[in-house]
Amino acid sequence: MEPLFGAVLALTLAVASAANDSCTCATNKWAVCAQDGPGNCTCRLAGSDQPVDCSTLTSKCFLMKAEMMPLKEKRLWRPPHGVLDSDGIYSPDCEQSGAFKARQCNRSSSCWCVNSAGVRRSEKGGSSLSCSELVRTSWIYIELTHGSSSNAFPAPDVAKALRQLFESRYQLRPKYIAAIKYDPPLIQIRLHQNKKLRWDVDIADVAYYFEKDVNNDSVFHSDSKLSVSVNGNALAIEKLWIYYVDEKAPEFCMRQLAAGISAVVTVVLLTAGIGIAALLILRWLRTRTYKKFESKEMREMKGTSSE
């Protein structure tokens, strides 16, 4: 009887272990998952109680927040390289939907406005700074170069391979891939999404996942390295730049323009003032010289007449 009980116990543990192993989040390796019922796997963000939909991409705001969690709160779900982008990564305030809040602040009460991609679009100010709306990023331009070891490929084949990548790996619908241009070794990708439907992934999230993949810090649970193949040959991506274009112009651009115009006006006025002052001084010197010469001439004339 005991051997039979032991066999049943071992089988039960094996099934439980297999079920636990299958309870993972395919699209977010930082999610903490647990089997809370037969066939029911619930995943939540590391260090928070936010549920994660593992059938699609996690919002960029939630991903950035998870990256900034202290390592002890991540339960060892740490990015393999552990290096954060000090220029672009911060602990953001997110809406319940995963969207960025229009105003972001750090611990020193310095605040700024961001777009829907979480990129700063205003000068930094104090806690009284007001951001009236979350401006949508409707265009994203991606520029990348492939390694010198990769030979030039036919442009249509490169476009086809990258379209398949964005559609299959990042679940982006074809209509949001506006254009792909290839001028060896430079590749330009333009994503356009004026309005995001509820069932669509956001182009900002797609760009963030792609950036993490290129930097060998994949968010996907499989942690598989990004592999792009063109006609059976690897397309080795070396450098990457991502540009965000909002529906409305960034606020700090106008301020900088105003500051630039003010500086130009100040220089012009200062130059004009110096020029006028120099003319007045020269005129005064000439008048003074003329008066001295006239006074000397009068004295000489008086002396001549007295003789």
Side-chain angles (χ1 to χ4, degrees):
M1 189 68 180
E2 289 183 1
L4 178 61
F5 176 76
V8 172
L9 180 60
L11 180 61
T12 302
L13 291 174
V15 171
S17 176
N20 188 57
D21 289 341
S22 64
C23 186
T24 57
C25 187
T27 58
N28 190 338
K29 67 180 180 182
W30 299 327
V32 178
C33 303
Q35 197 86 27
D36 55 4
N40 190 18
C41 178
T42 301
C43 299
R44 299 182 181 277
L45 281 180
S48 73
D49 197 38
Q50 183 67 40
V52 178
D53 182 0
C54 296
S55 66
T56 187
L57 304 187
T58 305
S59 76
K60 179 181 177 181
C61 191
F62 283 159
L63 289 177
M64 288 173 59
K65 195 169 189 67
E67 285 186 84
M68 291 300 291
M69 290 289 179
L71 296 182
K72 64 179 181 180
E73 295 184 16
K74 285 190 178 179
R75 302 181 189 178
L76 301 182
W77 289 88
R78 194 180 97 146
H81 303 294
V83 179
L84 300 178
D85 182 357
S86 59
D87 293 328
I89 298 296
Y90 57 93
S91 182
D93 291 326
C94 309
E95 301 286 0
Q96 198 66 23
S97 63
F100 286 91
K101 290 188 176 181
R103 191 186 75 161
Q104 299 290 331
C105 301
N106 59 21
R107 295 179 181 177
S108 63
S109 298
S110 177
C111 301
W112 60 93
C113 301
V114 299
N115 56 22
S116 62
V119 179
R120 184 165 66 91
R121 52 173 280 111
S122 75
E123 300 291 351
K124 291 186 177 182
S127 56
S128 61
L129 178 69
S130 176
C131 304
S132 59
E133 61 177 326
L134 182 68
V135 178
R136 177 160 182 77
T137 297
S138 55
W139 292 88
I140 290 183
Y141 290 84
I142 301 174
E143 291 186 355
L144 54 93
T145 58
H146 63 67
S148 57
S149 59
S150 301
N151 296 322
F153 302 99
D157 296 338
V158 171
K160 181 181 178 181
L162 289 172
R163 284 183 181 275
Q164 290 177 346
L165 173 72
F166 279 85
E167 292 172 27
S168 61
R169 187 173 178 88
Y170 307 115
Q171 306 176 23
L172 186 64
R173 289 208 281 169
K175 69 175 185 178
Y176 297 130
I177 306 174
I180 298 178
K181 184 179 180 181
Y182 178 47
D183 184 15
L186 177 67
I187 302 173
Q188 295 173 299
I189 305 171
R190 187 173 67 185
L191 308 180
H192 184 206
Q193 189 180 52
N194 276 332
K195 184 178 181 181
K196 175 189 172 298
L197 301 178
R198 184 176 56 84
W199 53 82
D200 283 332
V201 295
D202 195 302
I203 57 173
D205 301 337
V206 170
Y208 194 66
Y209 267 77
F210 182 61
E211 181 182 11
K212 301 294 282 185
D213 274 340
V214 171
N215 292 332
N216 292 325
D217 189 16
S218 176
V219 180
F220 292 102
H221 188 269
S222 62
D223 204 19
S224 59
K225 290 187 176 181
L226 179 66
S227 176
V228 184
S229 178
V230 180
N231 297 330
N233 298 311
L235 181 70
I237 300 174
E238 282 195 343
K239 296 181 181 180
L240 173 71
W241 301 269
I242 300 178
Y243 302 91
Y244 303 88
V245 181
D246 299 341
E247 292 176 342
K248 297 182 179 180
E251 297 172 14
F252 59 77
C253 286
M254 296 305 295
R255 293 182 185 180
Q256 289 178 350
L257 179 60
I261 293 174
S262 177
V264 171
V265 170
T266 301
V267 171
V268 170
L269 291 177
L270 185 60
T271 304
I274 293 174
I276 293 172
L279 288 174
L280 290 175
I281 292 173
L282 288 173
R283 184 177 179 183
W284 177 75
L285 289 174
R286 289 177 62 185
T287 303
R288 184 180 178 186
T289 304
Y290 176 76
K291 287 183 176 179
K292 284 184 176 180
F293 176 78
E294 186 181 42
S295 177
K296 181 180 179 181
E297 193 176 50
M298 289 294 293
R299 287 197 300 268
E300 290 178 352
M301 288 176 65
K302 289 181 180 180
T304 305
S305 59
S306 62
E307 293 177 358

